[in-house]
Amino acid sequence: MQIFQKEITVTKNDLDQLNHVNNVRYVQWVQDIAEAHWLKNASQQILDSYYWVLVKHTIDYKGQAFLGDAILIKTYVESSEGVSSIRKVEMHNQSSNKLIIASVTKWCLIDKKTNRPFRISSEIAEMFN
């Protein structure tokens, strides 16, 4: 399993009325890290042929983040079977090393020509091992 990660710093635009990161922002970051991982690993031919759609999303909120906090976002594909992949995402506060969120998402691979689900090939699955 290949772990992909990036660090972000919380900005004012990430905050809600309580001055901590808005839950909608966490959802956006989950989507952004999944997309960045896909774009980093996929060849142009694969990118031209397929895309992913989100089928199911769960998120467990374990802590809070505030303005200026450095957040480490980690993701990996846990499994791929048929047309679906299960991806896990964790976000940790860098200064305290505390887990802020844990997320599990289910994605479906779509063929761009037909706009229909497409069975995940071993070539695509191996990009994330």
Side-chain angles (χ1 to χ4, degrees):
M1 137 187 80
Q2 178 198 107
I3 295 175
F4 179 76
Q5 61 186 34
K6 74 180 210 176
E7 186 178 306
I8 58 169
T9 301
V10 176
T11 68
K12 187 174 180 175
N13 290 334
D14 300 322
L15 304 178
D16 62 15
Q17 67 273 18
L18 300 175
N19 286 319
H20 58 68
V21 173
N22 188 303
N23 63 331
V24 174
R25 185 65 76 198
Y26 289 120
V27 173
Q28 184 65 57
W29 290 340
V30 167
Q31 181 173 321
D32 291 348
I33 192 84
E35 180 180 21
H37 194 195
W38 170 245
L39 293 174
K40 176 187 172 283
N41 288 4
S43 68
Q44 191 58 52
Q45 179 183 7
I46 289 173
L47 292 172
D48 290 342
S49 301
Y50 308 103
Y51 63 94
W52 294 95
V53 295
L54 185 61
V55 176
K56 182 178 180 181
H57 176 87
T58 60
I59 189 166
D60 292 319
Y61 297 94
K62 305 288 189 178
Q64 300 177 27
F66 300 94
L67 182 64
D69 284 352
I71 308 299
L72 180 64
I73 307 174
K74 297 179 182 182
T75 188
Y76 62 92
V77 175
E78 181 180 62
S79 64
S80 294
E81 188 174 321
V83 299
S84 300
S85 276
I86 303 297
R87 175 180 289 277
K88 295 211 172 170
V89 177
E90 290 184 351
M91 296 183 200
H92 296 264
N93 184 309
Q94 286 281 77
S95 62
S96 67
N97 202 28
K98 283 190 169 183
L99 179 65
I100 299 170
I101 70 109
S103 174
V104 179
T105 53
K106 181 177 181 180
W107 298 84
C108 180
L109 186 64
I110 304 292
D111 184 312
K112 283 187 177 182
K113 290 179 188 166
T114 64
N115 285 321
R116 303 214 16 108
F118 190 83
R119 179 173 283 284
I120 299 167
S121 68
S122 58
E123 176 188 13
I124 291 174
E126 289 171 9
M127 290 188 317
F128 301 100
N129 289 336

PDB file of all heavy atoms in Angstrom, residues 10-11 14 18-19 30 37 39 50 57 62 73 75 97 101-102 114-115 119-120 124 127:
ATOM      1  N   VAL A  10      -3.606  25.819   7.831  1.00  0.00           N
ATOM      2  CA  VAL A  10      -4.960  26.353   7.936  1.00  0.00           C
ATOM      3  C   VAL A  10      -4.925  27.872   7.736  1.00  0.00           C
ATOM      4  O   VAL A  10      -4.135  28.570   8.382  1.00  0.00           O
ATOM      5  CB  VAL A  10      -5.590  26.010   9.306  1.00  0.00           C
ATOM      6  CG1 VAL A  10      -6.964  26.652   9.447  1.00  0.00           C
ATOM      7  CG2 VAL A  10      -5.673  24.495   9.490  1.00  0.00           C
ATOM      8  N   THR A  11      -5.780  28.350   6.832  1.00  0.00           N
ATOM      9  CA  THR A  11      -5.903  29.784   6.569  1.00  0.00           C
ATOM     10  C   THR A  11      -7.250  30.294   7.088  1.00  0.00           C
ATOM     11  O   THR A  11      -8.139  29.505   7.440  1.00  0.00           O
ATOM     12  CB  THR A  11      -5.811  30.089   5.063  1.00  0.00           C
ATOM     13  OG1 THR A  11      -6.976  29.559   4.410  1.00  0.00           O
ATOM     14  CG2 THR A  11      -4.548  29.495   4.450  1.00  0.00           C
ATOM     15  N   ASP A  14     -10.445  28.831   5.743  1.00  0.00           N
ATOM     16  CA  ASP A  14     -10.801  27.470   6.158  1.00  0.00           C
ATOM     17  C   ASP A  14     -11.691  27.448   7.406  1.00  0.00           C
ATOM     18  O   ASP A  14     -12.229  26.402   7.757  1.00  0.00           O
ATOM     19  CB  ASP A  14      -9.537  26.648   6.459  1.00  0.00           C
ATOM     20  CG  ASP A  14      -8.620  26.520   5.264  1.00  0.00           C
ATOM     21  OD1 ASP A  14      -9.128  26.378   4.145  1.00  0.00           O
ATOM     22  OD2 ASP A  14      -7.392  26.572   5.466  1.00  0.00           O
ATOM     23  N   LEU A  18     -16.989  29.491  14.469  1.00  0.00           N
ATOM     24  CA  LEU A  18     -16.392  29.152  15.761  1.00  0.00           C
ATOM     25  C   LEU A  18     -14.864  29.269  15.754  1.00  0.00           C
ATOM     26  O   LEU A  18     -14.191  28.910  16.715  1.00  0.00           O
ATOM     27  CB  LEU A  18     -16.804  27.735  16.174  1.00  0.00           C
ATOM     28  CG  LEU A  18     -18.313  27.512  16.324  1.00  0.00           C
ATOM     29  CD1 LEU A  18     -18.613  26.053  16.604  1.00  0.00           C
ATOM     30  CD2 LEU A  18     -18.888  28.404  17.420  1.00  0.00           C
ATOM     31  N   ASN A  19     -14.327  29.721  14.615  1.00  0.00           N
ATOM     32  CA  ASN A  19     -12.883  29.915  14.416  1.00  0.00           C
ATOM     33  C   ASN A  19     -12.071  28.637  14.463  1.00  0.00           C
ATOM     34  O   ASN A  19     -10.909  28.632  14.866  1.00  0.00           O
ATOM     35  CB  ASN A  19     -12.320  30.949  15.401  1.00  0.00           C
ATOM     36  CG  ASN A  19     -12.741  32.346  15.011  1.00  0.00           C
ATOM     37  OD1 ASN A  19     -12.735  32.697  13.827  1.00  0.00           O
ATOM     38  ND2 ASN A  19     -13.136  33.144  15.983  1.00  0.00           N
ATOM     39  N   VAL A  30     -10.288  15.979   1.752  1.00  0.00           N
ATOM     40  CA  VAL A  30     -10.322  14.538   1.452  1.00  0.00           C
ATOM     41  C   VAL A  30     -10.398  14.340  -0.059  1.00  0.00           C
ATOM     42  O   VAL A  30      -9.665  13.525  -0.636  1.00  0.00           O
ATOM     43  CB  VAL A  30     -11.509  13.845   2.168  1.00  0.00           C
ATOM     44  CG1 VAL A  30     -11.748  12.447   1.612  1.00  0.00           C
ATOM     45  CG2 VAL A  30     -11.264  13.786   3.671  1.00  0.00           C
ATOM     46  N   HIS A  37      -3.373  12.339  -5.509  1.00  0.00           N
ATOM     47  CA  HIS A  37      -2.756  11.012  -5.550  1.00  0.00           C
ATOM     48  C   HIS A  37      -2.976  10.369  -6.914  1.00  0.00           C
ATOM     49  O   HIS A  37      -2.056   9.793  -7.509  1.00  0.00           O
ATOM     50  CB  HIS A  37      -3.346  10.164  -4.423  1.00  0.00           C
ATOM     51  CG  HIS A  37      -2.594   8.914  -4.141  1.00  0.00           C
ATOM     52  ND1 HIS A  37      -3.132   7.896  -3.388  1.00  0.00           N
ATOM     53  CD2 HIS A  37      -1.344   8.484  -4.481  1.00  0.00           C
ATOM     54  CE1 HIS A  37      -2.255   6.908  -3.284  1.00  0.00           C
ATOM     55  NE2 HIS A  37      -1.169   7.249  -3.946  1.00  0.00           N
ATOM     56  N   LEU A  39      -3.656  11.922  -9.810  1.00  0.00           N
ATOM     57  CA  LEU A  39      -2.922  12.670 -10.837  1.00  0.00           C
ATOM     58  C   LEU A  39      -1.425  12.396 -10.788  1.00  0.00           C
ATOM     59  O   LEU A  39      -0.761  12.376 -11.828  1.00  0.00           O
ATOM     60  CB  LEU A  39      -3.191  14.166 -10.699  1.00  0.00           C
ATOM     61  CG  LEU A  39      -4.619  14.609 -11.010  1.00  0.00           C
ATOM     62  CD1 LEU A  39      -4.799  16.093 -10.705  1.00  0.00           C
ATOM     63  CD2 LEU A  39      -5.008  14.288 -12.445  1.00  0.00           C
ATOM     64  N   TYR A  50     -10.157   7.590 -18.133  1.00  0.00           N
ATOM     65  CA  TYR A  50     -10.963   7.262 -16.954  1.00  0.00           C
ATOM     66  C   TYR A  50     -11.038   8.429 -15.988  1.00  0.00           C
ATOM     67  O   TYR A  50     -10.161   9.283 -15.957  1.00  0.00           O
ATOM     68  CB  TYR A  50     -10.369   6.062 -16.202  1.00  0.00           C
ATOM     69  CG  TYR A  50     -10.119   4.876 -17.091  1.00  0.00           C
ATOM     70  CD1 TYR A  50      -8.826   4.576 -17.517  1.00  0.00           C
ATOM     71  CD2 TYR A  50     -11.160   4.080 -17.540  1.00  0.00           C
ATOM     72  CE1 TYR A  50      -8.579   3.497 -18.356  1.00  0.00           C
ATOM     73  CE2 TYR A  50     -10.929   3.011 -18.373  1.00  0.00           C
ATOM     74  CZ  TYR A  50      -9.638   2.724 -18.783  1.00  0.00           C
ATOM     75  OH  TYR A  50      -9.398   1.669 -19.618  1.00  0.00           O
ATOM     76  N   HIS A  57     -19.066   8.327   1.371  1.00  0.00           N
ATOM     77  CA  HIS A  57     -18.068   9.065   2.140  1.00  0.00           C
ATOM     78  C   HIS A  57     -18.442   9.020   3.612  1.00  0.00           C
ATOM     79  O   HIS A  57     -19.575   9.334   3.980  1.00  0.00           O
ATOM     80  CB  HIS A  57     -18.042  10.521   1.657  1.00  0.00           C
ATOM     81  CG  HIS A  57     -17.120  11.391   2.427  1.00  0.00           C
ATOM     82  ND1 HIS A  57     -15.793  11.514   2.100  1.00  0.00           N
ATOM     83  CD2 HIS A  57     -17.309  12.161   3.510  1.00  0.00           C
ATOM     84  CE1 HIS A  57     -15.221  12.342   2.957  1.00  0.00           C
ATOM     85  NE2 HIS A  57     -16.125  12.742   3.816  1.00  0.00           N
ATOM     86  N   LYS A  62     -12.223  13.709  15.050  1.00  0.00           N
ATOM     87  CA  LYS A  62     -11.529  13.324  16.284  1.00  0.00           C
ATOM     88  C   LYS A  62     -10.959  14.519  17.043  1.00  0.00           C
ATOM     89  O   LYS A  62     -10.584  14.388  18.199  1.00  0.00           O
ATOM     90  CB  LYS A  62     -10.371  12.370  15.956  1.00  0.00           C
ATOM     91  CG  LYS A  62     -10.771  11.143  15.161  1.00  0.00           C
ATOM     92  CD  LYS A  62     -11.551  10.200  16.016  1.00  0.00           C
ATOM     93  CE  LYS A  62     -11.763   8.879  15.293  1.00  0.00           C
ATOM     94  NZ  LYS A  62     -12.473   7.920  16.109  1.00  0.00           N
ATOM     95  N   ILE A  73      -1.826  15.514   5.845  1.00  0.00           N
ATOM     96  CA  ILE A  73      -2.890  14.689   5.278  1.00  0.00           C
ATOM     97  C   ILE A  73      -2.239  13.471   4.634  1.00  0.00           C
ATOM     98  O   ILE A  73      -1.345  13.608   3.803  1.00  0.00           O
ATOM     99  CB  ILE A  73      -3.707  15.458   4.220  1.00  0.00           C
ATOM    100  CG1 ILE A  73      -4.216  16.778   4.779  1.00  0.00           C
ATOM    101  CG2 ILE A  73      -4.862  14.599   3.710  1.00  0.00           C
ATOM    102  CD1 ILE A  73      -4.900  17.660   3.751  1.00  0.00           C
ATOM    103  N   THR A  75      -3.041   9.599   2.749  1.00  0.00           N
ATOM    104  CA  THR A  75      -4.057   8.773   2.119  1.00  0.00           C
ATOM    105  C   THR A  75      -3.427   7.547   1.489  1.00  0.00           C
ATOM    106  O   THR A  75      -2.244   7.546   1.144  1.00  0.00           O
ATOM    107  CB  THR A  75      -4.855   9.559   1.053  1.00  0.00           C
ATOM    108  OG1 THR A  75      -5.961   8.766   0.607  1.00  0.00           O
ATOM    109  CG2 THR A  75      -3.997   9.937  -0.142  1.00  0.00           C
ATOM    110  N   ASN A  97       0.704  16.124  16.828  1.00  0.00           N
ATOM    111  CA  ASN A  97       0.621  14.786  16.243  1.00  0.00           C
ATOM    112  C   ASN A  97      -0.711  14.096  16.565  1.00  0.00           C
ATOM    113  O   ASN A  97      -0.806  12.876  16.553  1.00  0.00           O
ATOM    114  CB  ASN A  97       1.797  13.911  16.670  1.00  0.00           C
ATOM    115  CG  ASN A  97       2.026  12.760  15.697  1.00  0.00           C
ATOM    116  OD1 ASN A  97       1.712  12.871  14.516  1.00  0.00           O
ATOM    117  ND2 ASN A  97       2.547  11.660  16.187  1.00  0.00           N
ATOM    118  N   ILE A 101      -9.037  13.961  11.847  1.00  0.00           N
ATOM    119  CA  ILE A 101     -10.125  13.246  11.171  1.00  0.00           C
ATOM    120  C   ILE A 101      -9.610  11.930  10.606  1.00  0.00           C
ATOM    121  O   ILE A 101      -8.436  11.773  10.288  1.00  0.00           O
ATOM    122  CB  ILE A 101     -10.819  14.056  10.044  1.00  0.00           C
ATOM    123  CG1 ILE A 101      -9.910  14.241   8.822  1.00  0.00           C
ATOM    124  CG2 ILE A 101     -11.339  15.384  10.521  1.00  0.00           C
ATOM    125  CD1 ILE A 101     -10.345  13.444   7.655  1.00  0.00           C
ATOM    126  N   ALA A 102     -10.547  10.977  10.482  1.00  0.00           N
ATOM    127  CA  ALA A 102     -10.297   9.708   9.794  1.00  0.00           C
ATOM    128  C   ALA A 102     -11.462   9.536   8.825  1.00  0.00           C
ATOM    129  O   ALA A 102     -12.625   9.677   9.218  1.00  0.00           O
ATOM    130  CB  ALA A 102     -10.235   8.553  10.775  1.00  0.00           C
ATOM    131  N   THR A 114     -17.812   6.037 -22.357  1.00  0.00           N
ATOM    132  CA  THR A 114     -19.178   5.544 -22.158  1.00  0.00           C
ATOM    133  C   THR A 114     -19.881   6.184 -20.962  1.00  0.00           C
ATOM    134  O   THR A 114     -21.099   6.061 -20.832  1.00  0.00           O
ATOM    135  CB  THR A 114     -19.178   4.021 -21.948  1.00  0.00           C
ATOM    136  OG1 THR A 114     -18.476   3.724 -20.730  1.00  0.00           O
ATOM    137  CG2 THR A 114     -18.536   3.298 -23.130  1.00  0.00           C
ATOM    138  N   ASN A 115     -19.091   6.834 -20.093  1.00  0.00           N
ATOM    139  CA  ASN A 115     -19.608   7.357 -18.824  1.00  0.00           C
ATOM    140  C   ASN A 115     -20.277   6.278 -17.989  1.00  0.00           C
ATOM    141  O   ASN A 115     -21.254   6.524 -17.287  1.00  0.00           O
ATOM    142  CB  ASN A 115     -20.555   8.539 -19.046  1.00  0.00           C
ATOM    143  CG  ASN A 115     -19.794   9.792 -19.407  1.00  0.00           C
ATOM    144  OD1 ASN A 115     -18.729  10.056 -18.863  1.00  0.00           O
ATOM    145  ND2 ASN A 115     -20.326  10.547 -20.351  1.00  0.00           N
ATOM    146  N   ARG A 119     -14.306  -1.785 -14.926  1.00  0.00           N
ATOM    147  CA  ARG A 119     -13.557  -2.675 -14.026  1.00  0.00           C
ATOM    148  C   ARG A 119     -12.117  -2.176 -13.896  1.00  0.00           C
ATOM    149  O   ARG A 119     -11.443  -1.904 -14.882  1.00  0.00           O
ATOM    150  CB  ARG A 119     -13.583  -4.101 -14.561  1.00  0.00           C
ATOM    151  CG  ARG A 119     -12.807  -5.085 -13.685  1.00  0.00           C
ATOM    152  CD  ARG A 119     -12.966  -6.523 -14.128  1.00  0.00           C
ATOM    153  NE  ARG A 119     -14.239  -7.088 -13.741  1.00  0.00           N
ATOM    154  CZ  ARG A 119     -14.555  -7.477 -12.503  1.00  0.00           C
ATOM    155  NH1 ARG A 119     -13.683  -7.320 -11.535  1.00  0.00           N
ATOM    156  NH2 ARG A 119     -15.719  -8.008 -12.240  1.00  0.00           N
ATOM    157  N   ILE A 120     -11.650  -2.085 -12.655  1.00  0.00           N
ATOM    158  CA  ILE A 120     -10.296  -1.604 -12.378  1.00  0.00           C
ATOM    159  C   ILE A 120      -9.298  -2.646 -12.844  1.00  0.00           C
ATOM    160  O   ILE A 120      -9.311  -3.788 -12.378  1.00  0.00           O
ATOM    161  CB  ILE A 120     -10.134  -1.307 -10.879  1.00  0.00           C
ATOM    162  CG1 ILE A 120     -11.115  -0.210 -10.466  1.00  0.00           C
ATOM    163  CG2 ILE A 120      -8.697  -0.912 -10.557  1.00  0.00           C
ATOM    164  CD1 ILE A 120     -11.266  -0.053  -8.968  1.00  0.00           C
ATOM    165  N   ILE A 124      -4.045  -0.292 -13.143  1.00  0.00           N
ATOM    166  CA  ILE A 124      -4.507   0.828 -12.311  1.00  0.00           C
ATOM    167  C   ILE A 124      -4.379   0.462 -10.826  1.00  0.00           C
ATOM    168  O   ILE A 124      -3.891   1.275 -10.035  1.00  0.00           O
ATOM    169  CB  ILE A 124      -5.944   1.220 -12.685  1.00  0.00           C
ATOM    170  CG1 ILE A 124      -5.947   1.852 -14.089  1.00  0.00           C
ATOM    171  CG2 ILE A 124      -6.537   2.189 -11.659  1.00  0.00           C
ATOM    172  CD1 ILE A 124      -7.319   2.147 -14.640  1.00  0.00           C
ATOM    173  N   MET A 127      -0.893   0.821  -9.406  1.00  0.00           N
ATOM    174  CA  MET A 127      -0.360   2.174  -9.256  1.00  0.00           C
ATOM    175  C   MET A 127      -0.383   2.625  -7.802  1.00  0.00           C
ATOM    176  O   MET A 127       0.331   3.553  -7.418  1.00  0.00           O
ATOM    177  CB  MET A 127      -1.166   3.181 -10.086  1.00  0.00           C
ATOM    178  CG  MET A 127      -0.992   3.041 -11.570  1.00  0.00           C
ATOM    179  SD  MET A 127      -1.770   4.359 -12.528  1.00  0.00           S
ATOM    180  CE  MET A 127      -3.345   4.614 -11.764  1.00  0.00           C
TER     181      MET A 127
END
